[in-house]
């Protein structure tokens, strides 16, 4: 039973019954809905101090706060995204969508930089995105020298985005703002300037000096650095080594926050639509779709280099097309340019090759690729997010330990410098496993909060789609987390806090994932953090509502009720003892010979400490508690009210009320699923599409839609009994099944599956092609075969490349019958190239296998007289034993491209070039 005191508090608008058939309305007499309204009222009460004068949520009500932000009255894009979600839930409960729209409007005026704040974005050149500078393990390795000799790749998004939105400005949230301008930089939104101390919110940034740089070792800096503070070059020469420095602006995006903003917009759209009010949120939802378009920068390597086996900055190729795209949500993307009329017009953009399990958001990826109102404008955005959804689910499967928790992540740039990982390091699509990606002080994946955050998103996706892969990893995680959680009869509760990792995952094989028998997690200590607890409850609630797991639902309720006993006049919070506050005196690394000043006059020089360059902290009313600790006393205890945690608690109450209290508090809620669709049939196929139809499902209330699965992965949604799946590869077989949904969120079992094969499609012209080959490895006895190929159309009409296959014949020379094959580079994009080793049915002299190379539908057609450009290929035996290539039928010694009659080309299954062995 909820604590009686929790349902009392600040009055808010009375819940409105949602209009429309099947809308899940909140009930005023449901204690969990009332708990949401009470918590919401406390957050929005001006006397409680959650919001700045500019209308943005503070990171915390309390000011003395050092964790990722180094002051409580900063804010993060994370807090803003929780605010958007909080207002979406308020709209569901009350029917009032004005606060949700207001949150987006404030974000556009503040934390999303306006044109004045990125004034030279039009100078950006996608062919030269940025100049390479290696990262270093320790802050003492900085400044890091720019190295223009290292080639960087081409940005494939910029032109498409500019065409879609008519600007080269980037639409994403900067991760950090100083809402009270405590530092005094005065980088006020909408000004592009640096006005100095005074009232008003200000953009700032921290970090930027390697994985070991903790918050205690940072030098905060202005995002628009006009050299008014710091040293002669502002703060720039603390981070980057260059021959000269120009005034500039620069912003950093936290992808998990922007993805959560998309997630919030998805819920707002769903809930408003159920109330018949979709038009009231359509403009804000469109903004979220736009944000999702730009969020794709988080899917690319930092310097747009090739993804996979990138272990040397010089030899790792600069990518073109999509070869630099890993499709995961990485730790950040960033952009910047010239400011203040200094240095001429120039701008830069970078992605990031390091991805953490806790940042992934399958729900956002699914919404951006399946919900029409959230589909971004850009031509390739939907397909990018569809592939990202699949890749994220694979990523989580790859990282799941034997116990059920998720290990860290992967990187395409070991130590941030494209270095070679230690021998035996497992890989995910060629990217190296890293148990503590991005930062090491403390290790990034030791915090249970990243487990709960990530699993809450996965559970929401599972709740909406019933995806079997999501269910499999969730059920294992929930079992592990539940076994490590206790709730006492007195309302005490605890769950994991710090985790310890041993072993490593198996190298990822999408065709045959390993069981990670050697990857293990143990719990070092436990905590009762209410923000993490709220994410944990949401995970359990989504999972229980979809799976019917009564134990998970009961644990969600027990944790909610226990946390409710810790109500304060400002929210719900538990005391924290901050032993880490002994680090206020930690030295901040400053290079020898460098000196400068902060806006308030604090000196920055070698030997300066965290508190030395933040002397204003000594005026904080809570500082005496910290000073006493620094003087040898006990560690101070604080009761913090972090905005994100308080919003997450409110959401946990609302989601539990919606999904696990029948009908959102009304008796007789709908729990009966529809019947499975029958009569699924293929009605038409083209070279790139399959059309389907089926018979209507029935339901005790009403069927509201259908989910169509292709090869076990959600392909799209339909409100009618027909669906056309597009963007497919030609001459390829697919399996389809359909499930029905009702307004209560219930999903039927899948229909019987049907198969369809797309047509070969396109003109194959005369079928006149030829193959050019080059030898890319002079050794005949090493453990890999390396070659280059290119296909030329020598006919008079275009050729559909999906009908073309190329065969390179060789001998396996004993060893295993399985092989690894790779396309390291393709002018058409490596993702558009298929490759596999096939056994020759009747072995010939010089050939008992062949490498078959093909093209997906995304490769398009090859014009008459045109070439595919270079395909860089290699293969190895699964045990990496040596080949003897000297007698291989197709091998030649030329190292420049030349016609090769011993490499075969087939068009629509017919030999069109070369001589078979």
């Amino acid at each position: 039973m909820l604590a009686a005191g929790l349902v009392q508090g600040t009055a808010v608008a009375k819940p409105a019954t949602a209009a429309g058939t099947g809308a899940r309305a909140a009930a005023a007499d449901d204690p969990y809905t009332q708990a949401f309204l009470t918590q919401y009222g406390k957050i929005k009460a001006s006397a409680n101090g959650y919001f700045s004068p500019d209308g943005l949520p503070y990171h915390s009500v309390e000011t003395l706060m050092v964790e990722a932000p180094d002051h409580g009255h900063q804010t993060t894009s994370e807090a803003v995204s929780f605010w958007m979600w909080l207002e979406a839930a308020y709209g569901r409960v009350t029917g009032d969508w004005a606060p949700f729209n207001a949150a987006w409007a404030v974000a556009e005026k503040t934390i999303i930089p306006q044109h004045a704040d990125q004034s030279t974005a039009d100078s950006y050149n996608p062919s030269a995105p940025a100049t390479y500078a290696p990262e270093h393990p320790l802050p003492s390795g900085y400044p890091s020298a720019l190295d223009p000799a290292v080639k960087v790749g081409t940005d494939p998004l910029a032109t498409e985005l500019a065409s879609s939105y008519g600007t080269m400005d980037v639409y994403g949230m900067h991760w950090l703002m100083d809402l009270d301008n405590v530092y005094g930089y005065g980088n006020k939104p909408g000004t592009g300037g640096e006005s100095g101390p005074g009232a008003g919110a200000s953009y700032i940034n921290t970090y930027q000096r390697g994985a070991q740089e903790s918050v205690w070792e940072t030098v905060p800096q202005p995002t628009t650095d006009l050299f008014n503070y710091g040293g002669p070059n502002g703060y720039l020469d603390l981070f980057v080594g260059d021959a000269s420095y120009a005034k500039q602006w620069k912003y950093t995006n936290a992808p998990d926050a922007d993805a959560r903003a998309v997630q919030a917009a998805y819920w707002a759209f769903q809930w408003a639509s159920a109330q018949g009010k979709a038009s009231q949120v359509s403009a804000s939802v469109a903004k979220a779709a736009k944000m999702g378009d730009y969020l794709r920068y988080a899917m690319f390597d930092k310097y747009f280099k090739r993804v996979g086996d990138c272990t040397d900055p010089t030899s790792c190729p600069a990518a073109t097309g999509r070869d630099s795209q890993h499709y995961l949500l990485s730790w950040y993307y960033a952009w910047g340019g010239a400011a203040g009329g200094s240095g001429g017009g120039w701008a830069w953009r970078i992605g990031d090759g390091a991805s953490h399990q806790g940042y992934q958001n399958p729900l956002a990826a699914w919404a951006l690729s399946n919900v029409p109102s959230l589909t971004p404008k850009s031509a390739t955005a939907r397909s990018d997010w569809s592939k990202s959804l699949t890749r994220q689910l694979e990523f989580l499967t790859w990282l799941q330990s034997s116990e059920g928790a998720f290990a860290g992540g992967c990187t395409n740039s070991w130590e941030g410098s494209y270095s070679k990982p230690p021998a035996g390091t497992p890989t995910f699509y060629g990217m190296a496993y890293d148990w503590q990606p991005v930062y090491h002080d403390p290790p990034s994946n030791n915090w249970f909060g990243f487990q709960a955050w990530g699993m809450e998103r996965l559970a929401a996706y599972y709740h909406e789609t019933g995806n079997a892969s999501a269910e499999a990893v969730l059920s294992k995680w929930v079992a592990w987390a539940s076994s490590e959680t206790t709730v006492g009869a007195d309302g005490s509760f605890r769950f994991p806090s710090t985790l310890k990792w041993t072993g490593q995952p198996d190298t990822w094989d999408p065709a045959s994932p390993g069981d990670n028998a050697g990857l293990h997690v143990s719990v070092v200590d436990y905590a009762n953090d209410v923000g993490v607890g709220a994410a944990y409850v949401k995970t359990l609630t989504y999972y229980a509502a979809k799976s019917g797991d009564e134990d998970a639902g009961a644990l969600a309720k027990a944790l909610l009720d226990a946390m409710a006993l810790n109500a304060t006049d400002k929210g719900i919070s538990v005391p924290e003892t901050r032993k880490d506050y002994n680090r206020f005196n930690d030295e901040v690394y400053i290079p020898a010979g460098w000196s400068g000043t902060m806006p308030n006059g604090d000196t920055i020089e070698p030997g300066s400490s965290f508190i030395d360059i933040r002397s204003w902290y000594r005026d904080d009313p809570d500082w005496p508690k910290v000073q006493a600790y620094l003087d040898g006393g006990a560690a101070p205890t604080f009761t913090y009210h972090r905005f994100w945690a308080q919003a997450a608690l409110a959401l946990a109450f609302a989601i539990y009320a919606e999904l696990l209290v029948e009908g959102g508090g009304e008796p007789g809620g709908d729990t009966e699923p529809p019947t499975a669709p029958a009569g699924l049939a293929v009605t038409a196929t083209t070279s790139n599409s399959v059309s389907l139809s089926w018979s209507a499902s029935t339901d005790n209330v009403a069927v509201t839609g259908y989910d169509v699965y292709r090869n076990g992965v959600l392909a799209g949604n339909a409100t009618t009994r027909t669906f056309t799946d597009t963007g497919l590869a030609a001459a390829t077989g697919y399996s389809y099944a359909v499930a029905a949904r009702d307004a209560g969120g219930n999903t039927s079992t899948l229909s019987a599956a049907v198969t369809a094969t797309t047509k070969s499609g396109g003109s194959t012209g005369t079928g006149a092609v030829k193959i050019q080959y080059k030898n890319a490895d002079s050794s005949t006895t090493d453990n890999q075969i390396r070659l280059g190929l290119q296909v030329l159309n020598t006919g008079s009409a275009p050729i559909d490349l999906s009908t073309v296959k190329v065969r390179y014949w060789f001998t396996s020379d004993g060893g295993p019958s399985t092989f690894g094959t790779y396309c390291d580079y393709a002018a058409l994009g490596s993702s558009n190239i298929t490759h596999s080793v096939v056994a020759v049915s009747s072995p010939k002299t010089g050939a008992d296998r062949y490498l078959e190379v093909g093209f997906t539908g995304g490769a398009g057609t090859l014009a008459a007289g045109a070439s595919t450009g270079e395909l860089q290929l290699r293969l190895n035996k699964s045990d990496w034993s040596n080949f003897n290539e000297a007698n291989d039928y197709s091998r030649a010694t030329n190292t420049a491209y030349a016609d090769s009659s011993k490499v075969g080309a087939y068009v629509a299954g017919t030999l069109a070039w070369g001589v078979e062995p």
Side-chain angles (χ1 to χ4, degrees):
M1 183 65 183
L2 276 166
L6 188 65
V7 298
Q8 302 171 2
T10 306
V12 293
K14 182 180 179 181
T17 300
T21 303
R24 286 175 284 184
D29 58 355
D30 160 36
Y32 292 94
T33 299
Q34 189 58 51
F36 163 75
L37 291 168
T38 300
Q39 181 74 354
Y40 179 90
K42 290 180 179 180
I43 293 170
K44 296 301 288 287
S46 59
N48 283 340
Y50 279 97
F51 286 85
S52 76
D54 294 294
L56 283 162
Y58 288 122
H59 177 66
S60 72
V61 171
E62 297 76 23
T63 52
L64 199 157
M65 157 80 74
V66 183
E67 36 197 32
D70 59 12
H71 187 257
H73 277 197
Q74 293 170 6
T75 197
T76 59
S77 53
E78 169 189 276
V80 173
S81 66
F82 272 104
W83 177 31
M84 293 170 173
W85 193 0
L86 177 70
E87 301 297 8
Y90 183 74
R92 184 190 74 82
V93 171
T94 67
D96 181 3
W97 292 101
F100 173 74
N101 293 325
W104 273 98
V106 170
E108 282 199 311
K109 292 180 179 179
T110 54
I111 203 162
I112 300 173
Q114 301 169 53
H115 178 69
D117 305 313
Q118 46 182 318
S119 58
T120 53
D122 288 343
S123 301
Y124 178 61
N125 178 6
S127 298
T131 303
Y132 171 77
E135 297 174 20
H136 299 278
L138 301 174
S140 58
Y142 289 80
S144 181
L146 293 170
D147 187 352
V150 174
K151 293 182 179 179
V152 302
T154 299
D155 172 358
L157 295 185
T159 301
E160 181 181 80
L161 290 165
S163 175
S164 296
Y165 300 103
T167 179
M168 287 294 278
D169 294 352
V170 170
Y171 190 84
M173 292 189 281
H174 175 62
W175 86 280
L176 186 64
M177 295 184 71
D178 180 1
L179 296 188
D180 292 348
N181 198 21
V182 172
Y183 278 107
Y185 296 123
N187 280 173
K188 296 181 179 181
T191 67
E194 192 176 41
S195 59
S202 173
Y203 294 115
I204 61 168
N205 213 343
T206 55
Y207 300 102
Q208 300 189 19
R209 297 195 298 181
Q212 192 61 35
E213 183 188 36
S214 75
V215 64
W216 300 102
E217 299 162 298
T218 58
V219 180
Q221 74 257 203
T223 57
T224 300
D225 196 332
L226 301 181
F227 301 172
N228 293 328
Y229 309 107
N233 301 307
Y235 295 82
L236 301 180
D237 49 352
L238 288 173
F239 310 108
V240 175
D242 201 0
S244 62
Y245 295 88
K247 299 172 183 178
Q248 57 188 269
W249 53 268
K250 53 191 185 299
Y251 301 99
T252 304
N253 179 272
D256 70 322
D258 282 34
R260 190 183 294 108
V262 171
Q263 184 180 342
Y266 167 74
W267 293 123
F269 174 73
Q270 293 294 94
W271 294 328
S273 296
Q275 297 169 355
K277 297 180 178 180
S279 62
Q280 294 186 19
V281 299
S282 59
S284 296
V285 171
K287 294 172 184 177
K290 179 179 179 181
M291 183 174 284
D293 221 343
Y294 288 85
L295 183 55
R296 292 182 293 156
Y297 273 113
M299 300 181 186
F300 287 83
D301 175 74
K302 183 174 181 178
Y303 291 106
F304 299 94
K305 282 181 169 286
R306 181 197 66 196
V307 167
D309 305 312
C310 197
T311 57
D312 177 80
T314 301
S315 63
C316 180
T320 58
R322 300 309 178 100
D323 285 359
S324 59
Q325 193 168 8
H326 49 70
Y327 294 98
L328 298 171
L329 287 179
S330 60
W331 199 259
Y332 67 86
Y333 73 80
W335 71 108
S342 174
W346 49 269
W348 55 266
R349 297 181 192 179
I350 56 175
D352 185 25
S355 298
H356 193 289
Q357 61 85 14
Y359 263 38
Q360 306 313 302
N361 194 323
L363 181 69
W366 173 76
L368 289 164
S369 56
N370 284 279
V371 179
S373 294
L374 273 166
T375 302
K377 287 183 180 180
S378 293
T380 63
R382 183 179 183 275
S383 60
D384 278 349
W385 281 112
S386 180
K387 186 165 183 177
S388 176
L389 172 59
T390 301
R391 190 62 57 87
Q392 289 183 46
L393 294 175
E394 290 181 308
F395 189 55
L396 294 173
T397 302
W398 176 58
L399 290 170
Q400 190 161 35
S401 66
S402 297
E403 292 74 20
F406 294 88
C410 67
T411 179
N412 194 53
S413 178
W414 190 259
E415 293 189 335
S417 56
Y418 301 104
S419 299
K420 189 175 182 62
T425 299
T427 58
F428 179 78
Y429 287 99
M431 296 179 286
Y433 169 67
D434 189 347
W435 73 275
Q436 52 174 353
V438 186
Y439 64 83
H440 299 168
D441 184 13
S444 66
N445 203 50
N446 280 15
W447 182 50
F448 178 75
F450 274 133
Q451 302 282 319
W453 272 2
M455 289 304 95
E456 168 237 290
R457 300 166 194 145
L458 182 67
Y461 166 68
Y462 165 62
H463 180 268
E464 293 300 284
T465 67
N467 180 272
S469 297
E471 181 180 27
V473 295
L474 267 171
S475 60
K476 188 175 180 180
W477 186 89
V478 167
W480 165 75
S482 299
S483 72
E484 297 285 356
T485 302
T486 57
V487 182
D490 59 350
S492 61
F493 61 97
R494 74 170 202 173
F495 38 75
S497 178
T498 306
L499 306 178
K500 179 180 179 181
W501 298 93
T502 56
Q504 55 189 17
D506 302 321
T507 287
W508 177 249
D509 179 355
S512 181
D515 60 6
N516 287 350
L519 176 63
H520 296 284
V521 66
S522 57
V523 179
V524 176
D525 55 37
Y526 297 83
N528 58 352
D529 181 290
V530 294
V532 174
Y536 186 12
V537 166
K538 286 186 282 180
T539 303
L540 294 168
T541 301
Y542 285 127
Y543 176 71
K546 189 65 175 179
S547 69
D549 186 327
E550 294 181 358
D551 290 339
L555 182 56
K557 182 181 187 303
L559 283 168
L560 267 184
D561 293 352
M563 288 190 289
L565 295 173
N566 294 278
T568 72
D569 58 350
K570 292 181 171 63
I572 297 173
S573 189
V574 296
E576 304 172 31
T577 300
R578 296 299 300 261
K579 294 182 179 180
D580 61 322
Y581 280 5
N582 62 358
R583 299 188 67 177
F584 268 92
N585 285 328
D586 275 15
E587 181 177 343
V588 174
Y589 174 75
I590 304 295
W594 198 99
S595 65
T597 56
M598 302 294 283
N600 70 341
D602 286 347
T603 299
I604 320 168
E605 59 187 1
S608 293
S609 68
F610 178 92
I611 189 63
D612 287 339
I613 62 175
R614 298 167 177 85
S615 62
W616 39 260
Y617 249 137
R618 294 189 173 96
D619 297 324
D620 191 281
D622 281 329
W623 178 255
K625 295 163 65 174
V626 176
Q627 187 62 58
Y629 179 40
L630 297 175
D631 291 341
T637 297
F638 293 85
T639 300
Y640 284 125
H641 294 84
R642 299 171 180 84
F643 181 90
W644 74 264
Q646 299 304 309
L649 280 161
L651 289 164
F653 288 123
I655 292 165
Y656 183 85
E658 179 193 11
L659 301 183
L660 293 184
V661 178
E662 285 190 337
E666 296 175 333
D670 180 18
T671 60
E672 182 178 330
T675 61
L680 179 62
V682 178
T683 57
T685 60
T686 69
S687 62
N688 64 0
S689 69
V690 171
S691 297
L692 305 165
S693 69
W694 55 89
S695 301
S697 295
T698 58
D699 186 63
N700 64 317
V701 179
V703 174
T704 58
Y706 297 89
D707 298 328
V708 181
Y709 289 82
R710 179 204 321 121
N711 296 341
V713 177
L714 189 70
N717 315 103
T719 54
T720 64
R721 292 180 288 107
T722 61
F723 180 80
T724 298
D725 190 20
T726 59
L728 305 176
T732 302
Y734 297 94
S735 174
Y736 291 92
V738 180
R741 281 181 285 105
D742 66 15
N746 305 301
T747 304
S748 75
T749 57
L750 288 172
S751 69
V754 297
T755 57
T757 301
T758 51
K759 295 178 179 177
S760 59
S763 168
T764 59
T766 62
V769 297
K770 70 176 180 179
I771 305 299
Q772 293 188 333
Y773 157 89
K774 75 173 183 180
N775 187 319
D777 183 2
S778 60
S779 174
T780 59
T781 57
D782 57 13
N783 59 12
Q784 293 192 83
I785 297 175
R786 298 174 180 267
L787 62 145
L789 298 173
Q790 50 191 23
V791 181
L792 287 76
N793 182 355
T794 58
S796 59
I799 293 176
D800 182 346
L801 280 171
S802 68
T803 68
V804 177
K805 302 288 186 184
V806 180
R807 293 180 182 177
Y808 175 92
W809 287 280
F810 66 97
T811 54
S812 58
D813 303 307
S817 59
T818 55
F819 296 79
T821 62
Y822 315 89
C823 180
D824 292 328
Y825 171 78
L828 296 172
S830 294
S831 61
N832 290 319
I833 310 302
T834 64
H835 37 85
S836 62
V837 169
V838 180
V840 175
S841 56
S842 299
K844 309 289 195 305
T845 301
D848 59 18
R849 300 283 193 281
Y850 57 83
L851 171 67
E852 183 167 79
V853 181
F855 303 85
T856 69
T861 58
L862 186 62
S867 167
T868 59
E870 184 173 28
L871 313 179
Q872 295 178 5
L873 302 152
R874 59 189 170 90
L875 63 97
N876 58 265
K877 290 181 272 191
S878 59
D879 67 350
W880 291 89
S881 59
N882 287 345
F883 293 96
N884 178 9
E885 298 180 58
N887 64 343
D888 288 356
Y889 177 79
S890 294
R891 185 180 188 273
T893 57
N894 53 290
T895 57
Y897 279 107
D899 295 353
S900 176
S901 62
K902 289 190 174 184
V903 179
Y906 299 77
V907 178
T910 301
L911 183 66
W913 167 266
V915 178
E916 295 179 337

